[in-house]
Amino acid sequence: MPNIEALTVDSGVLLQKLLDRQDIQDTIARYSLGQDSHQGQDSNILQHWDDTFSEDGKVDYSVAGGPVGTYRDLAKWMRGDESTSGSMSSFSNWQHMLSLPVVTIEGDTAKGRTDFFATHRGRADQGSDIHYNAAGAFHDELIRTPKGWRILLRRLEVYFGDPLQVVKASR
């Protein structure tokens, strides 16, 4: 006959792991939600990223010419500020599609890997006929905080990036 007390403890641990995994998955998804909810001139990605990264959250986007620094440095590099255009300024729209993350949880820390495919549309108002597709992975170190799981470090890996020339249909 199974030990009821042991089953209860095991069930509680399993339930916590499932809840942690779901919170981590939501945290990782908030990154792309921040990107994709703020298209074109709307650069308020920090509205979502402040709930995605830990207060001292770091990034390494050096593989794409981006910063090694804070997530706020990344937001500025991507979106610019009042005096500087960001790396996303030549695009009007984009979409980031994520795979399910592969997550390893150890106590109050976790590691995750999430593959992505991102597509970016050139700005027609600037005469851009280039679209850009990229695929890669996000490698995350996460930490449990009083507000839930947050990304402590995100490293970008790029598998490929393809600029696509858009051909206008002839009439």
Side-chain angles (χ1 to χ4, degrees):
M1 180 169 202
N3 180 335
I4 300 295
E5 189 174 301
L7 285 175
T8 303
V9 170
D10 289 345
S11 297
V13 170
L14 177 61
L15 179 59
Q16 185 59 55
K17 282 190 173 195
L18 292 172
L19 291 171
D20 286 342
R21 183 172 297 282
Q22 185 62 53
D23 190 18
I24 289 168
Q25 185 173 326
D26 288 351
T27 298
I28 289 169
R30 270 195 308 274
Y31 172 86
S32 291
L33 182 63
Q35 278 280 47
D36 298 340
S37 294
H38 303 283
Q39 300 280 322
Q41 300 300 312
D42 176 359
S43 61
N44 196 16
I45 58 178
L46 292 176
Q47 175 184 341
H48 291 91
W49 284 9
D50 285 342
D51 291 332
T52 301
F53 289 91
S54 64
E55 289 182 18
D56 55 348
K58 305 279 188 229
V59 297
D60 179 352
Y61 274 54
S62 57
V63 70
V68 176
T70 70
Y71 74 93
R72 290 178 171 271
D73 294 334
L74 178 63
K76 183 177 177 181
W77 176 72
M78 286 183 170
R79 301 305 179 88
D81 58 19
E82 300 79 31
S83 62
T84 309
S85 294
S87 62
M88 299 285 286
S89 297
S90 61
F91 302 110
S92 62
N93 302 90
W94 43 83
Q95 181 71 43
H96 296 77
M97 291 146 287
L98 304 177
S99 71
L100 291 173
V102 176
V103 177
T104 305
I105 302 168
E106 293 193 20
D108 291 337
T109 63
K111 292 187 178 187
R113 175 202 166 101
T114 309
D115 289 327
F116 72 86
F117 178 79
T119 186
H120 307 77
R121 169 167 253 152
R123 289 186 55 172
D125 65 337
Q126 293 180 356
S128 177
D129 59 355
I130 297 290
H131 295 207
Y132 184 73
N133 292 334
F138 296 119
H139 300 272
D140 296 317
E141 294 178 20
L142 300 104
I143 187 167
R144 185 191 317 266
T145 74
K147 294 181 177 181
W149 286 92
R150 299 293 186 261
I151 297 172
L152 185 60
L153 173 65
R154 168 162 277 194
R155 181 178 59 82
L156 174 68
E157 177 182 9
V158 176
Y159 303 147
F160 66 84
D162 294 321
L164 304 173
Q165 187 76 30
V166 177
V167 177
K168 295 185 178 165
S170 58
R171 295 183 182 222

